[in-house]
Each structure stands twice: as C-alpha cells, then as structure tokens.
Amino acid sequence: MSDNAVAGATNVEQSAEHEEEVLAELTAPVPEVGDGGPEMVQLLTPEGQRVENTEYDEYVKDLTDEDLRGFYRDLVLIRRVDAEATALQRQGELGIWASLLGQEAAQVGSGRAMRPQDYAFPTYREHGVAWCRGVNPLNLLGLFRGVNHGGWDPNEKNFHLYTIVIGAQTLHATGYAMGIQRDGDVGTGDADRDAAVIAYFGDGASAQGDVNEAFVYAAVNNAPVVFFCQNNQWAISEPNERQTRIPLYQRARGFGFPGVRVDGNDVLAVYAVAKQALDAARTGQGPTFVEAYTYRMGAHTTSDDPTKYRVSAEVEVWKHRDPIERLKAYLVHEKKADHDFFDAIDAEADQLAAEVREGCLSMPDPTPDSMFDHIYVEEHPVVEAERKEFAAYHAGFSEEGGH
C-alpha cells in the first residue's frame, strides 16, 4: 500500500472516531442542572462567599468598593421600581407590567459591563438594563400605561425601544452589529471607538425562528454581537425541558461561536462574563452566546398566574439564591458596607418609589389623534387622510345631535 493510501485510511479512521465522539456527546442524557451545573460560571455563592475563577477573576479585579456598593444600589432601586409598577398595575394605573423580580443581577451585571458606545436591544422586561443606560423609569411606565411608545431617544441612550414581538430584536441587533462592523468601529484598538451590541431574550425566545436566523447571520458575518439569554426557567408556562434537550448555551456550538453559562443571580459573575463577551465582540472576535441561569420569581406578566403551572417549593428554593441578599452578605462579610449604607439605600428606594407613583399618576393622557403621529418620518398622504377622517368622526360626538 502506498504512503498516500495509508495516510488516507488513517484520516478516514480518525474522522470516523471524531464523529462517533461528537455523536455520543450530543445524544448523551441531559444532566441534572437544577443548580446550573458544574460548567456554570460563579464568583459569589448564594451565601455570598467569593469563589476564585482563573478565567474571570481578571474582569472584576479592578472593581472598587464603591463599584460594588453601586451594584447593590442598582439592584435595590430597580427592584423597588418593579414592585411599585406591579402595584400600580394592580390598582388599574397600568395596562400590564412584565416584572423582572429575581433577574436583577442578570440585567445590572450585563448593563454595567457595557461601554457608552455599545448598543442594547431589549425585550420588554429589561428594566434593569434601562436603568443602567440612564432611561428614566417613568418612560417605562408610560409605555405600559399607554401614553407613549417608550418615551426615550434610543440613539441618546444607546438602548433600543422595547420589543414586544418575541425574538425579533435579535435580528435588529445583528443587523446593527453588522453596520458597526462595516462602519469600521470594530477592532481598531481605540477603546472609545470600538463598539459592540448586546441582544436580550429569554429561554422561550431561543426556540423562535428569528433568534436562530440571527445566530446564522451573526456567525457567518462574525458580527460584534452578544446574545444574552436570561434563562428564567419558564417560557410563560412552559418549562425548560419542553424547549431543549441540552443546556441552552451549548446551542451556540452548532452555529459556530462560543457559548457560556453564568449564574444569573450573581452580579459579579454576570459582569465578568458579559465584559469578556463584549470585549471579544469589540476586538473582532465575533458573537458569543451568554446564558444567564436565573429564575422568574413572579408571574410572566401581571396577566399571568404562575400557581397554575409550577409548585411553590420550586420558588422557595430560588428564594435562597436571591441576587440582592447574596451581594449584601458579601459586602457585610468583607466589611465593604455598613448598616448606615444599607439604611440609606432603603431610604433612597422609598423616595424613588414615591416619585415613580406620583409621576405615573400625573401623566397626561394622549390626544386621540396622536395615534397617527410618528408613523413615518415624513408626512404620508394616506396617514393624513385617515387622520382627517378620524378627526371628523370624533368631532361628531361633541356636536349637538351627534352619536
């Protein structure tokens, strides 16, 4: 047998062995990962104990005590805004509200890992990211009260308007990231210029066609985008086991880019993982899939009743993994914050809640014909004709003998 034939046979044999290994890995039983599994990145245990991690410690080593206290402040204040909004909806002041309860660390950690020039594409639950990007909470409430379509300038905050259509924002984010790439704002080495995009979505959205199409486009174009999946265990009433055979972060491998699972209730770990992924995107290394393993402590929205499909014992388990109590325990143990600090944050949260309530109740109702505003950039004859027709119809109700 010739040398070429021998080499060819060896290559075929090695290829077959590799295929068998891959097949065995992909068809192996799904491990029990109720606690996130051994592959999950964690820097703070649920008890607030610091865990060393040689890969990610470098991303948090420069955080000051003030930075850490800032994380705590973010977590407490946005949870209080969320609680106030839920109460306002229950009292008939908001049409609906999507709570972030339990997911604060996933949002604050990733939000604070962004640079000013980075751009975020949210779903309808990223109130914590909005807070980090400087969006007034009243803008969020205005959307759910029905008095505006968001109320903030996305290009000022680099935070896109909320997206209600499940998963659609991942395509928007990928397209925007490809635009950044083509503008030459990736991999220049200029920290104030190089930019990345982060797209938020949930575990349920990971099964949507739009999301998987975004993965394909991002991968083949090496787009500077981070796909940040908040796996809160429930796609409304559907649990993880009805959505996937493998941990979600492993799906990235099939599209050709890295994936990582992080403890979504650990703000330090989320910050480190998101920072690494965003750094990689900015330097031209392409997309990353981040699965923040967390839990939706409340209802999907205020129109949902989770007691119909999940047991209270599951919720109790996750209460012991609370992101705020975890960070508080760490700050206390390391003597980085005292009782006066925590009391001051609680007082600030009370004040913020009062301002949110007062601001919400005082929002003016929009005029009926404002629904025709901002449909197109320029005036459109069809829209203007519809506006006039509606105005005439509406005026008929105030005229004598009108209906």
Side-chain angles (χ1 to χ4, degrees):
M1 183 180 294
S2 68
D3 291 342
N4 289 338
V6 172
T10 302
N11 289 338
V12 169
E13 183 177 337
Q14 290 176 343
S15 177
E17 291 177 353
H18 177 67
E19 289 180 1
E20 290 178 2
E21 292 175 357
V22 172
L23 182 62
E25 183 178 355
L26 293 177
T27 58
V30 179
E32 176 58 47
V33 290
D35 62 352
E39 61 280 319
M40 183 177 72
V41 178
Q42 185 182 80
L43 299 183
L44 286 180
T45 68
E47 296 75 30
Q49 298 297 311
R50 183 71 165 85
V51 179
E52 291 187 359
N53 186 298
T54 55
E55 182 176 359
Y56 291 100
D57 281 349
E58 65 176 291
Y59 293 98
V60 297
K61 67 180 181 181
D62 293 329
L63 289 175
T64 65
D65 290 354
E66 184 177 355
D67 292 330
L68 296 173
R69 290 191 293 267
F71 284 157
Y72 181 84
R73 176 179 178 271
D74 289 335
L75 297 174
V76 171
L77 294 187
I78 196 58
R79 176 174 288 188
R80 189 57 186 275
V81 169
D82 182 71
E84 195 64 31
T86 299
L88 284 164
Q89 194 284 328
R90 296 306 189 198
Q91 295 162 13
E93 300 298 339
L94 300 180
I96 195 172
W97 181 254
S99 174
L100 58 53
L101 184 62
Q103 299 176 219
E104 297 90 351
Q107 297 189 15
V108 169
S110 58
R112 290 304 181 195
M114 297 174 66
R115 292 180 184 171
Q117 68 268 28
D118 295 335
Y119 208 107
F121 285 80
T123 66
Y124 44 78
R125 199 188 303 275
E126 274 66 58
H127 319 315
V129 185
W131 172 266
C132 293
R133 300 306 280 177
V135 175
N136 190 322
L138 285 174
N139 288 142
L140 308 179
L141 271 65
L143 173 64
F144 290 97
R145 189 174 171 85
V147 303
N148 62 43
H149 295 297
W152 66 89
D153 181 352
N155 292 324
E156 175 192 355
K157 306 297 185 183
N158 275 20
F159 182 78
H160 198 267
L161 296 174
Y162 276 6
T163 302
I164 307 302
V165 179
I166 304 299
Q169 71 280 359
T170 57
L171 286 172
H172 307 158
T174 300
Y176 193 94
M178 291 167 62
I180 290 176
Q181 185 184 55
R182 283 152 178 75
D183 286 342
D185 293 332
V186 176
T188 69
D190 185 344
D192 295 324
R193 176 181 176 183
D194 290 338
V197 176
I198 185 167
Y200 291 89
F201 59 101
D203 47 287
S206 69
Q208 290 285 341
D210 282 359
V211 175
N212 289 269
E213 290 161 11
F215 291 170
V216 172
Y217 269 89
V220 298
N221 287 282
N222 204 45
V225 57
V226 175
F227 294 107
F228 194 92
C229 175
Q230 292 174 84
N231 179 2
N232 64 19
Q233 312 302 314
W234 291 93
I236 307 182
S237 59
E238 291 295 299
N240 273 186
E241 57 264 28
R242 294 187 181 178
Q243 302 176 66
T244 182
R245 279 279 299 146
I246 61 174
L248 294 178
Y249 78 96
Q250 292 184 6
R251 286 183 172 179
R253 182 173 52 191
F255 294 92
F257 54 89
V260 58
R261 169 179 279 181
V262 61
D263 186 339
N265 286 19
D266 176 356
V267 69
L268 294 188
V270 173
Y271 175 84
V273 168
K275 191 170 176 59
Q276 183 195 58
L278 288 165
D279 284 351
R282 295 189 204 99
T283 55
Q285 298 177 54
T288 300
F289 182 112
V290 176
E291 178 192 358
Y293 197 79
T294 182
Y295 193 77
R296 194 194 75 212
M297 293 300 293
H300 174 70
T301 68
T302 47
S303 64
D304 172 46
D305 180 5
T307 64
K308 300 295 184 181
Y309 53 80
R310 69 184 190 189
V311 297
S312 59
E314 179 179 291
V315 180
E316 290 300 316
V317 169
W318 280 91
K319 282 183 180 179
H320 295 288
R321 302 170 182 172
D322 184 81
I324 296 179
E325 292 303 317
R326 179 183 309 208
L327 182 58
K328 183 177 182 178
Y330 173 70
L331 293 175
V332 171
H333 183 267
E334 298 297 320
K335 296 180 173 54
K336 298 179 182 295
D338 55 21
H339 291 297
D340 289 342
F341 166 77
F342 296 119
D343 290 344
I345 295 299
D346 289 341
E348 185 180 1
D350 290 341
Q351 179 62 31
L352 178 60
E355 292 173 0
V356 165
R357 169 169 288 275
E358 181 181 354
C360 178
L361 298 180
S362 62
M363 288 180 183
D365 291 333
T367 59
D369 66 345
S370 66
M371 73 174 80
F372 297 98
D373 295 342
H374 311 301
I375 303 301
Y376 293 98
V377 174
E378 299 178 354
E379 186 176 294
H380 193 285
V382 174
V383 173
E384 293 309 308
E386 292 175 343
R387 185 199 298 271
K388 291 178 180 178
E389 180 182 355
F390 177 79
Y393 169 77
H394 195 263
F397 288 93
S398 59
E399 297 175 357
E400 185 176 351
H403 300 289

